[in-house]
């Protein structure tokens, strides 16, 4: 009799725990909102933000698209653009176009991470994912949308065949990054930055959804974060990783760029904690590096909110 009562009690308690846990979609929604609005926000604060934005709805719609091929018709996303020619010039000057790839859109953005251990290889990739990425790229190209406009800004000529090759390259980079487990090499700052982070925690489809909504898959895209007429921060790369404007060293003499002191934003923090400070801001325009930083932050968020 006592055994039966214990079993019943355990079942009841387990049911209570399950009922109090957020659904899988709600967890994902919180992770997505934290990616855009701040990893230091609480679940309650993020759910309040969810009432005021459609960002999470857009990400989840494209996440579903990359998983199934089905896209809700109501979704009309437009990546933000707050543009500064001086920043574009710095990013363009640091590109290495060396003829190692037949398509310039790949050749300009195919530099590997600074350590080979951060550049795992995969033998095969999901061709359904490639087709879905290619379809979005092709649509944007034909309507002369966001991706197209950035190609023009970077003076990169792209053919429809190039888009297919680029889709293959992008999906390969996303799937390869899932094989990494990063270990923290620094001390302090925040418990959020755990001693170990497993990048396979994040589905490749979610990485692609974030990158599409944030940058329309253009690796050199950026937007300026302006306060009181001054560029204080810049979001750079496929996942629009936030950097301090003062990290753009060659531009800090400009009165309206930076505030004279280097703060620690997403790029600086991840670079310190997991990458030995080896990356430069301009590295974020490279496909593999942009994906790596995007996936690392998402994995940390999954750990925090699971």
């Amino acid at each position: 009799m006592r055994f039966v009562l214990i079993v019943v009690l355990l079942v009841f308690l387990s049911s209570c725990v399950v009922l109090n846990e957020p659904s899988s979609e709600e967890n994902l929604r919180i992770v997505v909102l934290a990616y855009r609005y701040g990893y230091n926000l609480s679940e309650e604060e993020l759910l309040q933000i969810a009432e005021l934005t459609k960002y999470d709805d857009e990400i989840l719609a494209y996440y579903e698209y990359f998983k199934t091929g089905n896209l809700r018709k109501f979704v009309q996303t437009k990546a933000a653009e707050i543009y500064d020619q001086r920043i574009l010039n710095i990013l363009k000057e640091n590109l290495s176009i060396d003829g190692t790839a037949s398509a310039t859109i790949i050749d300009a953005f195919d530099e590997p991470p600074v350590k080979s251990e951060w550049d795992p290889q995969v033998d095969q990739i999901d061709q359904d994912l490639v087709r879905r990425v290619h379809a979005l790229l092709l649509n944007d190209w034909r309507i002369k949308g966001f991706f197209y406009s950035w190609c023009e800004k970077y003076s990169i000529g792209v053919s429809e065949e190039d888009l297919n090759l680029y889709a293959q390259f992008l999906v390969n980079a996303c799937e390869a990054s899932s094989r990494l487990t990063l270990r923290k090499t620094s001390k302090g700052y925040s418990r959020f930055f755990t001693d170990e982070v497993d990048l396979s925690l994040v589905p490749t489809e979610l990485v692609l959804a974030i990158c599409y909504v944030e940058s329309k898959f253009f690796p050199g895209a950026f937007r300026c974060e302006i306060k009181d007429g001054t560029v204080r921060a810049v979001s750079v790369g496929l996942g629009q990783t936030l950097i301090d404007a003062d990290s753009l060293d060659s531009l800090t003499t400009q009165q309206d760029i930076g505030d004279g002191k280097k703060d620690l934003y997403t790029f600086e923090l991840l670079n310190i904690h997991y990458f030995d400070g080896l990356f430069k801001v301009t590295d974020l325009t490279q496909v593999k590096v942009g994906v790596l930083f995007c996936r690392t932050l998402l994995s940390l968020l999954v750990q925090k909110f699971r």
Side-chain angles (χ1 to χ4, degrees), residues 186-200:
S186 65
K187 296 180 180 178
Y189 288 98
S190 169
R191 285 179 295 178
F192 174 74
F193 299 100
T194 53
D195 290 340
E196 187 172 278
V197 55
D198 179 3
L199 302 199
S200 70

Side-chain angles (χ1 to χ4, degrees), residues 99-116:
T100 54
S102 58
T104 305
I105 186 62
I106 299 175
D107 196 17
F109 303 107
D110 66 349
E111 288 295 306
V114 288
K115 282 189 175 182
S116 59

